[in-house]
Amino acid sequence: VLNKDTGDSFGWSDWSVCRGCYDKSLTGITDVFSDSWGFLALNKDSGDGYCVSHVPQFDECSGKNFTGITDVFSNSFAFLALNKDNGVGFCLGQASAGGDCSDKNFAGVTDVFSVAHGFFAWRKHSGTGFCWGWDGGDCSDKDFAGITDVV
């Protein structure tokens, strides 16, 4: 739970992913996104991000620059931080669930959809798209031309 005015935050229960943020000030946070294991708190004004997870290897926001990020998407175990204006994006979280998108080109992506362990990035205007993650799979053989909506 976050109070954006004061930066105070707290969690509860034995599985509380926020147990590591009791001593952290989250002042300036503009947006908060969650997955099944934790959350990403983002300050779009400063470009700072703060990740918390009960799985230590997924506390991996340090060193990431969120400057210019326009959108964040999540699935059960990963995040995609995307700047739709310049097509730059990066992923965080479990690599096999979509947390590794280092080989993806987000230029022209208009929409992103998630499933439990994967993502689909769509370039609606050109009728192209790509998938990654173990539920996202490989959709490179699909023709998205003429598609008007994804549900």
Side-chain angles (χ1 to χ4, degrees):
V1 177
L2 170 66
N3 180 329
K4 285 185 180 181
D5 295 329
T6 65
D8 294 335
S9 61
F10 66 89
W12 59 90
S13 86
D14 291 340
W15 286 98
S16 173
V17 297
C18 198
R19 66 180 175 272
C21 62
Y22 290 120
D23 60 344
K24 307 289 187 214
S25 172
L26 299 180
T27 302
I29 295 301
T30 57
D31 300 277
V32 178
F33 307 91
S34 64
D35 68 7
S36 294
W37 289 356
F39 68 85
L40 163 59
L42 179 61
N43 182 330
K44 284 187 175 179
D45 300 325
S46 69
D48 294 324
Y50 179 70
C51 294
V52 175
S53 174
H54 71 266
V55 179
Q57 64 266 32
F58 300 118
D59 290 347
E60 55 186 70
C61 281
S62 61
K64 297 289 185 186
N65 183 351
F66 291 88
T67 301
I69 294 301
T70 58
D71 298 271
V72 174
F73 305 92
S74 66
N75 64 28
S76 294
F77 303 110
F79 295 97
L80 162 62
L82 178 62
N83 181 329
K84 284 186 180 178
D85 298 331
N86 65 13
V88 173
F90 60 88
C91 296
L92 305 161
Q94 186 174 11
S96 62
D100 179 9
C101 59
S102 57
D103 62 340
K104 305 300 179 204
N105 178 354
F106 293 99
V109 167
T110 56
D111 301 279
V112 175
F113 302 90
S114 65
V115 292
H117 307 106
F119 294 97
F120 168 58
W122 187 25
R123 296 179 185 103
K124 186 174 187 174
H125 305 299
S126 67
T128 60
F130 55 93
C131 305
W132 72 101
W134 79 68
D135 281 351
D138 179 10
C139 60
S140 60
D141 62 337
K142 304 297 182 212
D143 181 5
F144 298 103
I147 301 298
T148 58
D149 292 289
V150 175
V151 292

